[in-house]
């Protein structure tokens, strides 16, 4: 399992692996927003937590179809399916690798963008914290979506359509925590709710994703 | 025709849109059903003829 | 002889051919009675004026929007557990109907909200939940259309339906947490306190029955189409083999 994780990390970080791509995308989204809504500091501060959450979510989406598609093309997915590791475990590892290469860097990168968008000082901690808690769920849900569409030629667009509605609860609680943090209110309730969603998806979705992969490999 | 008062436009458009959408759904379902029935009959006839 | 007999496509076709005209007739009658009664023969509400008449399309379609999804969930489970093709095809046949019902509920709600709340759209929990439900229908239908092999498509959409149901419920409560709404409580409930008055309730019950029957008729019709499509596919494949 370690070997699989390290292999996936290596594949993602080498040239053409798309590691920096989602970060760059995130940066561009954050830069474009002020052009759209105007440079007023007060307006930006108001919407910064939500924009950063939506931006992180969209950047996460970019690299989802890579989770299984490459392995499917070169046949290593069949090998993984017949290997002694249960397929559920493989899915979990893949989601973890995806999180380590997108969710974690995105959360670490967010404070920089927070400065650009004039995020109130009190908002940085809650925003990063809510991203750290919420992005694992995004990766896991994304892995499920990728498993559903792995057999399709052009699954990328469909993948977004399937995955985005599933992201709604995570986004609501995450952005709520970030917003409350920025306004100096208590953030424990939304964070706990979000932690619950993340843990629930990590516990249950590998089974659904593995079932989908088995169907697709049939 | 009942007197709908100042909300006549809202009420009528709500009914119109609903009936239009339902009508469209029914029409599409019927058309698909008829076309599929025809294609299947054709296919069965051809296969019976050819053995 | 059990209910599962009708999971056999041939039996289903025979039964549905016999039942369909009756269901259609009944649906047309109840729908006509309910809507005509509601539109022409109910008084105006003292606060909402004549807009109260929208209730006779809004509430039944909203109810069906949710019920259709539940029916798809049950059908998907039956397919996953017992592998009855009719079940999977019925779920496929139901999805567009559910989507149209959701759309009607959203549009009539917007038209109603405009004079009552002063806005076409508010990010109110119920409205938002329905919008999310609409997105789920879209994704489900798109997945059916994207996959060539019918059995693979049935399996994957069933899994999506199960997972989607859980997330739809989650979203429902997340949205409640996110914003308290403008929308009034349930229009019909056994609890007398928040119930609408009897003059409005009776035609509403009839309309709801009408929408339910209409759904039944449409789902039978569309499932028959899907079964024929499946048979046509099989015949064409056999012809190519020869």
């Amino acid at each position: 399992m370690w070997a699989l994780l390290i292999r996936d990390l290596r594949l993602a970080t080498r040239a053409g692996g798309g590691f920096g791509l989602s970060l760059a995308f995130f940066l561009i989204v954050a830069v474009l927003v002020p052009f759209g809504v105007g440079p007023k500091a007060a307006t930006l501060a108001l919407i910064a937590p939500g924009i950063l959450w939506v931006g992180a979510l969209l950047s996460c989406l970019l690299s989802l179809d890579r989770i299984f598609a490459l392995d499917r093309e070169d046949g290593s997915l069949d090998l993984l399916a017949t290997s002694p590791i249960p397929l559920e475990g493989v899915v979990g590892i893949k989601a973890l690798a995806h999180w380590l290469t997108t969710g974690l860097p995105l959360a670490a990168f967010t404070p920089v963008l927070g400065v650009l968008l004039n995020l109130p000082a009190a908002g940085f901690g809650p925003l990063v914290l809510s991203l750290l808690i919420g992005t694992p769920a995004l990766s896991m849900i994304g892995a499920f979506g990728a498993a559903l569409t792995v057999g399709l030629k052009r699954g990328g667009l469909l993948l977004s359509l399937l995955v985005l509605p599933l992201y709604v609860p995570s986004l609501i609680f995450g952005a709520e925590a970030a917003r409350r943090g920025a306004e100096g209110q208590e953030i424990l309730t939304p964070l706990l709710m979000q932690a619950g969603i993340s843990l629930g998806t990590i516990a249950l979705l590998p089974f659904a994703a593995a079932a989908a992969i088995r169907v697709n490999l049939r | 025709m009942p007197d709908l008062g100042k909300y006549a436009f809202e009420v009528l458009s709500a009914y119109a849109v609903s009936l239009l959408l339902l009508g469209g759904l029914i029409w599409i379902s019927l058309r698909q059903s008829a076309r599929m029935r025809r294609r299947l009959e054709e296919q069965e006839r051809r296969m019976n003829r050819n053995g | 002889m059990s209910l599962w007999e009708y999971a056999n496509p041939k039996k289903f076709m025979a039964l549905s051919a016999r039942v369909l005209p009756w269901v259609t007739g009944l649906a047309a009658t109840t729908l006509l009675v309910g809507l005509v009664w509601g539109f022409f023969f109910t008084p105006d509400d003292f606060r909402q004026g004549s807009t109260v008449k929208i209730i006779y399309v809004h509430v039944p379609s909203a109810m069906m929007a949710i019920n259709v999804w539940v029916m798809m969930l049950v059908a998907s489970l039956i397919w996953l557990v017992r592998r009855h093709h009719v079940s999977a095809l019925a779920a496929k046949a139901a999805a567009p109907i559910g989507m149209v019902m959701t759309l009607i509920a959203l549009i009539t709600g917007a038209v109603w909200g405009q004079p009552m709340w002063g806005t076409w759209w508010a990010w109110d929990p119920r409205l938002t939940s329905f919008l999310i439900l609409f997105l789920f229908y879209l994704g489900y239908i798109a997945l059916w259309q994207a996959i060539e092999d019918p059995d693979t498509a049935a399996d994957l959409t069933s899994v999506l339906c199960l997972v989607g149901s859980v997330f739809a419920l989650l979203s429902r409560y997340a949205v409640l947490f996110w914003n308290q709404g403008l929308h009034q409580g349930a229009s019909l409930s056994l609890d007398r306190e928040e119930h609408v008055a009897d003059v409005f309730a009776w035609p509403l019950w009839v309309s709801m029955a009408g929408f339910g029957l209409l759904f039944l008729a449409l789902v039978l019709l569309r499932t028959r189409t899907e079964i024929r499509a499946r048979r046509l596919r099989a015949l064409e494949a056999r012809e190519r083999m020869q």
Side-chain angles (χ1 to χ4, degrees):
Chain A
M1 285 189 128
W2 277 115
L4 181 62
L5 179 62
I6 289 165
R7 166 181 170 275
D8 267 25
L9 290 179
R10 214 173 265 153
L11 279 178
T13 45
R14 72 167 187 209
F19 173 63
L21 213 62
S22 43
L23 283 180
F25 180 80
F26 194 23
L27 173 68
I28 291 173
V29 169
V31 170
L32 286 183
V33 166
F35 295 139
V37 301
K40 278 208 201 76
T43 318
L44 285 176
L46 199 63
I47 61 171
I51 294 295
L52 289 174
W53 244 97
V54 172
L57 188 146
L58 293 177
S59 322
C60 210
L61 207 62
L62 275 186
S63 49
L64 284 182
D65 56 338
R66 306 180 64 91
I67 297 184
F68 296 116
L70 295 176
D71 287 339
R72 160 90 179 183
E73 274 165 26
D74 64 9
S76 44
L77 193 59
D78 298 83
L79 288 180
L80 285 173
T82 49
S83 76
I85 316 175
L87 197 51
E88 287 79 5
V90 173
V91 173
I93 293 290
K94 290 258 174 198
L96 178 63
H98 180 263
W99 181 69
L100 286 174
T101 52
T102 51
L104 196 58
L106 283 176
F109 187 46
T110 308
V112 182
L113 300 182
V115 174
L116 279 181
L117 290 181
N118 199 29
L119 184 71
F124 283 90
L127 179 61
V128 174
L129 198 60
S130 70
L131 278 172
L132 281 178
I133 295 177
T135 42
L138 301 188
S139 289
M140 193 60 241
I141 296 169
F144 167 66
L148 278 181
T149 54
V150 70
L152 298 172
K153 281 273 165 351
R154 278 179 297 277
L157 210 57
L158 181 63
L159 177 61
S160 330
L161 184 61
L162 296 182
V163 161
L164 282 176
L166 301 179
Y167 276 177
V168 169
S170 306
L171 174 63
I172 288 179
F173 288 123
E176 182 72 16
R179 190 186 61 76
R180 287 190 182 187
E183 289 171 5
Q185 299 166 3
E186 63 98 28
I187 57 166
L188 193 62
T189 322
L191 278 186
L192 282 180
M193 300 281 228
Q194 199 185 24
I197 290 174
S198 292
L199 292 175
T201 49
I202 290 167
L204 297 176
L205 272 185
F207 296 96
I213 291 180
R214 287 200 191 96
V215 170
N216 269 322
L217 288 179
R218 205 165 48 197
Chain B
M1 194 69 197
D3 178 25
L4 295 173
K6 59 179 171 167
Y7 298 129
F9 172 74
E10 277 84 3
V11 177
L12 288 177
S13 60
Y15 272 79
V17 168
S18 308
L19 293 180
L20 215 66
L21 280 171
L22 284 180
L25 179 68
I26 294 170
W27 187 66
I28 287 174
S29 303
L30 283 175
R31 216 186 48 171
Q32 283 173 342
S33 163
R35 196 194 305 156
M36 194 49 71
R37 185 198 297 251
R38 210 169 45 238
R39 279 182 59 192
L40 187 60
E41 270 166 10
E42 237 165 61
Q43 182 76 16
E44 277 173 340
R45 206 168 336 127
R46 196 166 64 224
M47 291 190 71
N48 283 337
R49 210 172 38 235
N50 298 341
Chain C
M1 184 73 187
S2 76
L3 188 64
W4 300 112
E5 291 275 304
Y6 299 108
N8 175 328
K10 263 213 180 96
K11 287 241 175 71
F12 177 84
M13 288 303 267
L15 177 79
S16 59
R18 245 181 311 130
V19 170
L20 191 54
W22 290 98
V23 177
T24 312
L26 212 56
T29 324
T30 33
L31 206 56
L32 202 68
V33 169
L35 290 184
V36 168
W37 186 356
F39 188 79
F40 291 100
F41 303 110
T42 52
D44 289 354
D45 184 71
F46 70 99
R47 264 183 305 142
Q48 306 193 10
S50 61
T51 57
V52 74
K53 291 181 194 301
I54 298 177
I55 205 176
Y56 306 109
V57 285
H58 179 69
V59 171
S61 59
M63 173 195 77
M64 289 317 292
I66 295 168
N67 286 2
V68 171
W69 186 273
V70 174
M71 174 260 168
M72 281 160 52
L73 174 63
V74 173
S76 301
L77 276 172
I78 294 176
W79 160 251
L80 285 178
V81 175
R82 299 197 57 146
R83 319 292 300 174
H84 291 309
H85 282 95
V86 173
S87 178
L89 293 178
K92 181 184 183 186
I97 311 176
M99 192 177 79
V100 170
M101 292 292 178
T102 318
L103 199 58
I104 292 177
L106 281 171
I107 294 177
T108 53
V111 172
W112 201 352
Q114 214 287 321
M116 288 304 113
W117 304 333
T119 171
W120 294 100
W121 180 261
W123 288 97
D124 157 277
R126 285 205 186 195
L127 275 67
T128 314
S129 306
F130 264 73
L131 196 59
I132 297 170
L133 184 65
F134 185 68
L135 296 180
F136 275 106
Y137 275 120
L138 273 185
Y140 180 87
I141 294 172
L143 189 61
W144 261 111
Q145 289 187 339
I147 304 171
E148 286 266 322
D149 180 63
D151 276 7
T152 310
D155 277 333
L156 293 180
T157 50
S158 297
V159 174
L160 178 69
C161 186
L162 293 192
V163 174
S165 305
V166 176
F167 276 88
L169 268 180
L170 265 180
S171 309
R172 175 86 185 83
Y173 290 102
V175 163
L176 269 181
F177 177 85
W178 169 70
N179 193 356
Q180 301 299 329
L182 294 167
H183 200 290
Q184 59 266 56
S187 305
L188 289 176
S189 71
L190 296 176
D191 182 12
R192 274 277 150 193
E193 287 301 300
E194 52 175 334
H195 203 303
V196 295
D198 275 351
V199 252
F200 302 118
W202 277 108
L204 183 53
W205 285 115
V206 179
S207 304
M208 282 163 81
F211 269 76
L213 285 164
L214 175 69
F215 165 69
L216 190 62
L218 277 173
V219 107
L220 285 175
L221 177 71
R222 297 179 62 91
T223 310
R224 287 168 65 80
T225 307
E226 294 295 338
I227 291 175
R228 287 208 175 97
R230 179 73 69 99
R231 181 164 160 70
L232 180 66
R233 223 181 117 93
L235 288 180
E236 279 172 350
R238 200 191 299 165
E239 195 179 39
R240 272 198 300 275
M241 298 273 279
Q242 281 166 358

